[in-house]
Amino acid sequence: MEKFTTHTGVGVPLRRSNVDTDQIIPAVYLKRVTRTGFEDALFAAWRGDPSFVLNQEAYSAGSVLVAGPDFGTGSSREHAVWALKDYGFRVVLSSRFADIFRGNSGKQGLLAGVVAQEDIEILWKVLETRPGTEVTVDLEARTATADDVTVPFQIDDYTRWRLMEGLDDIGLTLQHADDIAAFEETRASWRPKTLPAKHWPTETVEPARAVG
Amino acid sequence: MAGTLAEKVWEAHLVRRGTGGEPDLLYIDLHLVHEVTSPQAFEGLRLAGRPVRRPDLTIATEDHNTPTLDIDRPIADETSRTQIDTLRANAREFGIRLHSLGDADQGIVHQVGPQLGLTMPGLTVVCGDSHTSTHGAFGGLAFGIGTSEVEHVLATQTLPLQPFKTMAITVNGALPPGTTSKDIILAVIAKIGTGGGQGYVLEYRGEAIRKLSMEARMTICNMSIEAGARAGMIAPDETTFEYLKGRPHAPEGADWDAAVEYWKTLRSDDDAEFDAEVVLEAADLEPFVTWGTNPGQGLPISASVPVPADIADESERVAAERSLEYMGLEPGTPLRDVKVDTVFIGSCTNGRIEDLRSVAKVVQGRRKADDVRVLVVPASARVRLQAEAEGLDVIFKDFGAEWRNAGCSMCLGMNPDQLAPGERSASTSNRNFEGRQGKGGRTHLVSPLVAAATAIRGTLSSVADLDLAEDVDLTTFDGSPLDGVGAPPITETVVDLPMPVPAGAR
């Protein structure tokens, strides 16, 4: 994972609240089996609308999304983070994120910074008054700066440390493989195992057919 | 120290306590896998040369993409077929048990776990699907995870997690006839909002919850995520034990006794402190329906479509205006006058046997409204077999409904079961987001009873709008165990499944 210290890129004001993951990437795009190439799927339902912010030239190369509250609600699909990253976003700022989305972001190197709604409004004003304005996001200082405006953002210490070190989650956990093995020794025998498989006798499932 | 149910389960799975802002490392008892959120996780393992640590705590099924017609023929949609083929190849390669389309144990992942007796009290259960909260109905900590967490659990059988806050949701009293657990949860979400549960594990308690069957409890916990919560839980009791006993993977003999003894300790202590509490009176509830494009935009069915101009809060007003425009609804229209095109009965929220039984009770001997399409999609192949054994399929067909094979189906329209642009549905599923059931589709979330009444009348309706015979009892659905369609009790392990021989199973 790439290390994140500071990032500077065009800020994109997304004046919508409750942007759920179905809006970020509709379910139809979830059928892919690869990890990259989701840039075309980002905000797919809105990309056909010429007035949509990413369709305006000044914002089209944006990499810092400044969104309304409750960003990333709904389904747990990590594709939402991939789509944002594949499009080129490195940072999303909002006054409130859905838990799963925020967790997914940290794991993929997308910075999800929590900014007070009044500061979001100030950033929106700057970015809308001067389209194409760059925002500098300083993870060390936990600030976002657009022109002469600097606002603080919140991110938990652990996620910040991991982003700054570019550390892979699984590798970190496997440093504690002995603890895991020790825990497994104490696991009660009533706790379930999927193998060997047990199930009721197999029965034939008749295929349903279209009616009429 | 007194603890909540959630805290007790958390503590029992602590592999390593985090220090200095580092998260706790929790052991995962059961990992459910499906075709949509797993391919990139397996790809990640392969790229890093990592095995699956515990194939014997992992189970996979095909559900999101599977067709509900012609399941014996090749899947027409190429990308759906690719995802399913990829899951099959990954299951073979990594030694994961898989229930494929056509197998009697195939179905929606959140039905498969409970049905096989793998979902139990006191577990940690995860799946790359937000509706994993369903399994919390058994008194475990169950939550949805993203694909990189799927990879993490496959590789380590653990997850680094920050502690959640706890919220008690107490539902007092008894539900009025014609209302269900779906109405409880829609009312809860309307009350606390789609972000109201954010950061919390919700524990549902109170007399009304205790009276619910196991399946009705699953419906409530299932939709916890729609209030923004990470998980929902209900303390286990006799209803839970009764449901579990005798299922294929339920503990047996001394293990059963030890388990039940432990499970009985899984309740929030009387003096446990919650970070927040919400109280509802069940007697005040009516059947709930949603009018907007998030699950919090719900109202009792006797209400009318809201008038945005009357909403004081500006962001709520703007959201309501946007929702109504998308939904094609006139402010002030009585909800009962809203005409629907499609009724969808199914999903991990309300596609279980008792849901189908309740619908059958209402529609038996009737015909659906002429221009309404009615889809009945059981949550799993076993549910379908059970319904057929009870003759419910005949009731549905005589009613004019389409009786389909199992899967997620129109809940999210990843298979061919979709709404056309502008088409309006009454749906027993869990999300009314824009475009979820098909591009331009308009969704009203409802209970199975409201779905049944709506299918009969063609407009959003409750069973109170029907001249139901007085002896039709709609107050109790017992959640009788899915009994394996008359199968004999389990005496031995059956291994004749189309699944891989686990290389690393222990």
Side-chain angles (χ1 to χ4, degrees), chain B residues 56 120 202 250 267 336 354 394 461 479 496 504:
Chain B
D56 61 336
M120 299 174 191
L202 313 183
R267 48 184 293 278
R336 278 194 161 92
E354 87 175 31
V394 178
S461 303
D496 58 347

Side-chain angles (χ1 to χ4, degrees), chain A residues 20, chain B residues 291-295 297 319 322-324 326-327 432-434:
Chain A
D20 58 66
Chain B
W291 52 267
T293 55
N294 75 55
Q297 292 174 322
R322 198 190 289 273
S323 292
L324 291 184
Y326 180 84
M327 291 296 288
N432 49 345
F433 295 160
E434 291 182 18

Side-chain angles (χ1 to χ4, degrees), chain B residues 44-64:
Chain B
L45 288 184
R46 208 176 286 116
L47 288 171
R50 290 173 173 144
V52 174
R53 182 179 178 90
R54 295 297 297 261
D56 61 336
L57 303 184
T58 311
I59 185 169
T61 184
E62 299 162 3
D63 57 4
H64 281 62

Side-chain angles (χ1 to χ4, degrees), chain A residues 184 187 192-197, chain B residues 27-33 42 45 50-60 90-98 118 153-157 249 499-506:
Chain A
E184 284 174 332
R187 196 170 182 265
K193 286 188 177 177
T194 59
L195 296 170
Chain B
Y27 199 77
I28 302 301
D29 281 309
L30 181 64
H31 186 190
L32 308 162
V33 173
F42 285 112
L45 288 184
R50 290 173 173 144
V52 174
R53 182 179 178 90
R54 295 297 297 261
D56 61 336
L57 303 184
T58 311
I59 185 169
N90 285 328
R92 256 195 315 277
E93 180 180 342
F94 290 93
I96 307 292
R97 172 177 176 182
L98 168 66
L118 286 165
V153 176
L154 288 171
T156 71
Q157 204 58 35
H249 281 277
M499 62 176 171
V501 179
R506 34 192 110 177

Side-chain angles (χ1 to χ4, degrees), chain A residues 19-26 29 38 41-46 71-73 77 79-81 83-84 101:
Chain A
V19 174
D20 58 66
T21 50
D22 278 78
Q23 313 306 327
I24 299 172
I25 178 168
Y29 293 98
F38 287 93
L42 180 69
F43 301 129
W46 300 334
F71 190 83
T73 54
R77 62 190 65 158
H79 307 65
V81 176
L84 284 160
F101 177 85

Side-chain angles (χ1 to χ4, degrees), chain B residues 461-475:
Chain B
S461 303
S462 72
V463 289
D465 300 318
L466 305 173
D467 50 343
L468 276 183
E470 282 188 10
D471 60 347
V472 177
D473 177 10
L474 296 175
T475 56

Side-chain angles (χ1 to χ4, degrees), chain B residues 38-105:
Chain B
S38 68
Q40 291 91 350
F42 285 112
E43 190 186 327
L45 288 184
R46 208 176 286 116
L47 288 171
R50 290 173 173 144
V52 174
R53 182 179 178 90
R54 295 297 297 261
D56 61 336
L57 303 184
T58 311
I59 185 169
T61 184
E62 299 162 3
D63 57 4
H64 281 62
N65 271 302
T66 50
T68 56
L69 290 173
D70 303 325
I71 60 167
D72 51 340
R73 295 172 193 162
I75 297 170
D77 182 79
E78 195 185 321
T79 42
S80 291
R81 197 170 64 237
T82 304
Q83 278 202 339
I84 286 170
D85 287 346
T86 304
L87 178 64
R88 290 176 186 177
N90 285 328
R92 256 195 315 277
E93 180 180 342
F94 290 93
I96 307 292
R97 172 177 176 182
L98 168 66
H99 292 290
S100 282
L101 192 59
D103 175 323
D105 287 301

Side-chain angles (χ1 to χ4, degrees), chain A residues 13-34:
Chain A
L14 184 67
R15 268 193 192 265
R16 285 176 189 252
S17 58
N18 251 303
V19 174
D20 58 66
T21 50
D22 278 78
Q23 313 306 327
I24 299 172
I25 178 168
V28 64
Y29 293 98
L30 308 192
K31 292 175 180 177
R32 298 180 184 172
V33 295
T34 52

